[in-house]
Amino acid sequence: MTQPPKACIMGDPVAHSRSPMIHGYWLKTLGLPGSYERERVTAAEFPQFAKSLREKGYVGGNVTVPHKEAAFRAADHIDPSAVAIGAINTFYYEGDRLIGANTDVTGFVANLDWRLPGWRTESGKTLVIGAGGGARGVLYGLTQAGLGDISVANRTRERAETITSPYPSQAQAVSFDAISDLVKEADLIINTTSLGMAGQPPLPLDLKQAKPTARIADIVYVPLDTPLLTQARACNLRTADGLGMLLHQAVHGFEKWFGKKPEVTDGLFDLIATDIRKSQH
Ligand code: ATR
C-alpha cells in the first residue's frame, strides 16, 4: 500500500516556522491525505538528509535557515527561479531528480496581484528599499513583470549597485538619502529591509509626502502591521503585507507535493495572523 505523501520543513531552528500550519490547513480543508512535518536538521546533517529525503518517505519540502545555499549542492537540478535569487526554499522530485526551486518571487508577485490589483500597469515609478536577499527576489519579480523604472535605495549603496546590475534598462541604484525625494513620485514602494521588524527601528519614511494613488508593500510579517503599513493605511494608501507573500509562496510547493493547487483565502490569512499576534504577547 502506498503511504500518503509527506513533506517537511528542514532548518535549524524550525520551531518558529509557520509552514506546518499553512500546509496542514490546506490538507485539511481540501480533504487530501498527507502530512507536513518539522525536521530540525543541523548544517552538518543537511547534505546527507537532503540526499536521502525520499528514503525518509518525503516527496519534498521547504528549506530554511541555515540551508538555503547548501541546498544548491544537494539538488540534482536547480530551477531558474533559484538561480536568479541565489537561494533555494523548496525541494520536490521530478522522476528521480531532486529539484531545488525558489517560490519567494512567485509568492511576492501573486500577493501584489491579490492585494494591489492594477500594480502591473500603474507602477510607472517604483521604489525598492533594501538590497539584501529579499530585495533580489523582489527585483527579479518586478523586472519579470515588465516594470521599467525601479530605484533601489540601500544603506550600503554597493549592494544596491550589485543587485540592479543585471537589469540596467529597468533598475538603478540610488542613495538611501534619495528616499525622501523618491517617496513623492513613486507609484509603488516596497520595503525589503529588516526595518520595522519586531525589535528593529521603523523605516524612516514619511508617507504623507506620497502620491494618494501610491501602493505600499512590506515583506516583513512579524509584526503583521508594520509601522510602514500602519502609516500607509492612516494615509489611505493601498497596502500589501508580508504575510500574504508568505502564504502565496507556499502554494507552488503544496501543488508539487500533494497534487492540487491550493488557494490563499481570508480563512487561512486569519488563522496565521492570529498565531502571529499571539506570539507577540
Ligand atoms: P535578507 O536576506 O533577509 O534581505 P539582509 O541580507 O541582511 O537580509 O538584508 C537586510 C536589509 O536591511 C539590507 O538591505 C540592509 O541594509 P545594508 O545592506 O546596508 O546592511 C537593511 N538594513 C538593516 N538594518 C538597517 C538599518 N538600520 N538602516 C537601513 N537599512 C538597514
Side-chain angles (χ1 to χ4, degrees):
M1 213 181 85
T2 52
Q3 296 292 316
K6 213 169 69 151
C8 65
I9 170 99
M10 288 156 263
D12 186 18
V14 282
H16 65 283
S17 171
R18 294 195 166 82
S19 295
M21 206 179 222
I22 299 170
H23 293 288
Y25 175 90
W26 281 330
L27 284 168
K28 197 166 142 218
T29 52
L30 292 168
L32 294 172
S35 65
Y36 185 100
E37 298 173 12
R38 278 175 220 274
E39 288 278 9
R40 182 165 168 247
V41 182
T42 65
E45 293 162 343
F46 181 75
Q48 188 50 36
F49 191 97
K51 282 278 173 226
S52 55
L53 205 54
R54 185 168 262 173
E55 285 92 276
K56 289 182 179 1
Y58 288 114
V59 293
N62 288 118
V63 185
T64 185
V65 178
H67 310 313
K68 286 196 174 185
E69 276 138 41
F72 275 87
R73 293 183 285 279
D76 299 312
H77 175 78
I78 318 286
D79 187 79
S81 58
V83 177
I85 300 159
I88 286 173
N89 72 347
T90 303
F91 276 146
Y92 56 88
Y93 284 94
E94 261 174 25
D96 285 338
R97 294 194 315 162
L98 183 64
I99 313 293
N102 192 304
T103 62
D104 286 335
V105 172
T106 42
F108 168 71
V109 167
N111 189 44
L112 294 192
D113 287 338
W114 193 45
R115 294 293 197 206
L116 301 174
W119 72 275
R120 290 169 184 266
T121 51
E122 294 165 17
S123 299
K125 280 186 189 293
T126 300
L127 171 60
V128 174
I129 304 165
R136 274 182 82 172
V138 163
L139 197 54
Y140 181 68
L142 297 178
T143 51
Q144 292 274 102
L147 266 51
D149 185 355
I150 307 166
S151 298
V152 179
N154 195 47
R155 176 179 61 178
T156 312
R157 189 179 167 137
E158 301 87 78
R159 291 184 89 190
E161 272 154 17
T162 304
I163 70 161
T164 50
S165 63
Y167 318 104
S169 62
Q170 290 174 278
Q172 61 275 342
V174 298
S175 76
F176 202 69
D177 297 339
I179 290 177
S180 47
D181 279 332
L182 290 170
V183 75
K184 298 175 194 155
E185 313 165 357
D187 301 295
L188 176 64
I189 300 174
I190 302 158
N191 175 45
T192 72
T193 72
S194 44
L195 294 174
M197 221 178 245
Q200 295 273 338
L203 182 71
L205 193 68
D206 182 6
L207 290 178
K208 285 199 280 302
Q209 307 277 321
K211 288 164 98 169
T213 51
R215 292 172 169 88
I216 316 295
D218 204 332
I219 71 169
V220 171
Y221 64 91
V222 179
L224 205 58
D225 303 311
T226 61
L228 178 69
L229 295 175
T230 303
Q231 196 196 151
R233 289 178 194 129
C235 296
N236 276 321
L237 302 175
R238 291 161 291 184
T239 59
D241 48 69
L243 176 56
M245 174 179 170
L246 175 76
L247 302 179
H248 279 97
Q249 69 74 33
V251 167
H252 189 58
F254 186 95
E255 186 178 15
K256 289 284 180 191
W257 308 320
F258 302 114
K260 195 159 180 176
K261 188 171 181 183
E263 248 182 84
V264 175
T265 56
D266 291 338
L268 174 62
F269 187 93
D270 292 344
L271 178 79
I272 309 297
T274 304
D275 188 62
I276 291 174
R277 291 200 173 101
K278 222 169 30 190
S279 72
Q280 291 204 274
H281 293 298

